[in-house]
Amino acid sequence: MDAMPDTTTKRVLLAAPRGYCAGVDRAVIAVEKALELHGAPIYVRKEIVHNKYVVETLSERGAVFVDETDEVPEGARVVFSAHGVSPAVREAADQRNLLTIDATCPLVTKVHKEAIRFARDERTILLIGHTGHEEVEGTAGEAPEHTIVVNSPDDVDGLEVSDPENVVWLSQTTLSVDETMETVRRLRERFPALQDPPSDDICYATQNRQVAVKKLAPDCDLVVVVGSANSSNSVRLVEVALQAGATTAYRVDRAAEIRDEWFEGVATVGVTSGASVPEILVRDVLDDLAGRGFETVEEVRTATEDLMFSLPREIRADLKVKEAERAMRA
Ligand code: 0CN
Ligand code: SF4
């Protein structure tokens, strides 16, 4: 007779891909380079990415995070976050003669361009996303007269659209793929003429992290997602893990938030992290788990990522100038 599988062996299933995406990497480096090139303070409108540790670390190095550009001294340098800004924010920055560095992720900019094009064609844009999230404010701000934000599938029934024959949907980049597809299904039921965006708005990183956590979740008694509370893509990973069959799933900003009571009867723990989460925070979580007897770590990889974006053009230009000055001195 075959031996029964040993369900009491403690192990960790570590999702891959997890953590930093290309847009976050670029945005964080943009602030670091701005500090190196120009010295502190460098102002940043909103959190550069939605991660407490990243914001705290950059603050210690001289970044000053503000809510709006009117808090930035006239003529100073300000970085726009990875989540993008509306044209109104750009105008407000121009009014104060601010030197702007645009760290908007190129995949967010792509959605802005779609919004601009559809508004020009006089279509109504049903923007699936969360009201109040910076990315949604930025995208909707490209065409406020033409955009209606749809927060969830349940929002669909209450929508009022002036020309139901001329509607298109777009979305925030960091949503749950499954929930968004459900929203689209409900939208199409109500508006059969609904047009699709030219390509996926939910970005590759969001999708890949959801696919990886879905793969390991059914085997997990507990899934720990590292990420901050305001990080849409991180919070979605908890929901996706639960929907995919994890017995329990929790989000933590850092290892110290892990609670003893989560581990009763737990043999397999899944670990993943959002697109704005530095790997060091995941390492700390793995150390904590090892201390609880979860020393065996198996990686569950569902994709390999090698996308990289070039730095914002303002930073590239400043780096070139610095390089030329150095060459002159040599
Ligand atoms: O956590 P993030 O900074 O942002 P959201 O998931 O809340 O959108 O991750 C980077 C995403 C972008 C843009
Ligand atoms: Fe860009 Fe996606 Fe990363 Fe957001 S999560 S910064 S859209 S790559």
Side-chain angles (χ1 to χ4, degrees), residues 57-291:
T57 309
L58 290 172
S59 299
E60 280 160 17
R61 293 169 66 174
V64 176
F65 291 89
V66 295
D67 229 24
E68 280 310 336
T69 49
D70 59 11
E71 295 163 54
V72 180
E74 189 95 15
R77 218 171 234 102
V78 64
V79 183
F80 292 146
S81 79
H83 316 96
V85 292
S86 68
V89 171
R90 290 183 196 280
E91 275 154 38
D94 283 349
Q95 294 276 317
R96 294 179 72 72
N97 298 313
L98 303 183
L99 299 166
T100 57
I101 298 169
D102 188 359
T104 303
C105 175
L107 299 180
V108 172
T109 303
K110 187 196 81 171
V111 185
H112 281 229
K113 287 187 177 149
E114 291 169 356
I116 293 166
R117 183 156 66 83
F118 291 131
R120 207 181 288 136
D121 295 345
E122 294 295 328
R123 300 203 185 141
T124 297
I125 299 164
L126 302 172
L127 175 61
I128 305 172
H130 298 130
T131 304
H133 189 283
E134 277 118 274
E135 183 185 327
V136 169
E137 285 177 353
T139 307
E142 292 288 359
E145 313 285 289
H146 290 85
T147 307
I148 301 174
V149 178
V150 184
N151 276 270
S152 71
D154 292 338
D155 253 20
V156 172
D157 287 344
L159 290 177
E160 308 246 359
V161 170
S162 55
D163 181 2
E165 293 305 309
N166 205 12
V167 285
V168 60
W169 70 275
L170 295 180
S171 88
Q172 189 179 333
T173 57
T174 50
L175 301 179
S176 149
V177 174
D178 292 338
E179 186 179 296
T180 304
M181 288 308 114
E182 173 59 11
T183 307
V184 172
R185 194 189 62 75
R186 300 262 291 260
L187 283 173
R188 187 156 281 122
E189 244 171 40
R190 272 211 64 195
F191 310 112
L194 181 73
Q195 294 160 48
D196 294 318
S199 61
D200 284 354
D201 289 339
I202 299 181
C203 76
Y204 80 99
T206 300
Q207 296 194 30
N208 286 347
R209 281 149 193 68
Q210 287 174 19
V211 170
V213 84
K214 264 187 183 177
K215 174 104 188 262
L216 59 77
D219 296 324
C220 293
D221 308 304
L222 162 69
V223 170
V224 176
V225 175
V226 189
S228 289
N230 60 343
S231 167
S232 168
N233 79 89
S234 305
V235 173
R236 301 291 83 77
L237 288 173
V238 176
E239 297 168 359
V240 169
L242 289 170
Q243 276 155 12
T247 312
T248 56
Y250 297 102
R251 181 198 58 75
V252 295
D253 251 297
R254 55 206 169 86
E257 292 175 6
I258 293 175
R259 304 248 288 265
D260 297 344
E261 56 266 34
W262 295 349
F263 291 89
E264 205 169 309
V266 167
T268 302
V269 181
V271 173
T272 187
S273 58
S276 47
V277 179
E279 189 61 10
I280 186 173
L281 300 178
V282 175
R283 292 289 137 199
D284 289 350
V285 164
L286 293 177
D287 285 349
D288 178 286
L289 293 173

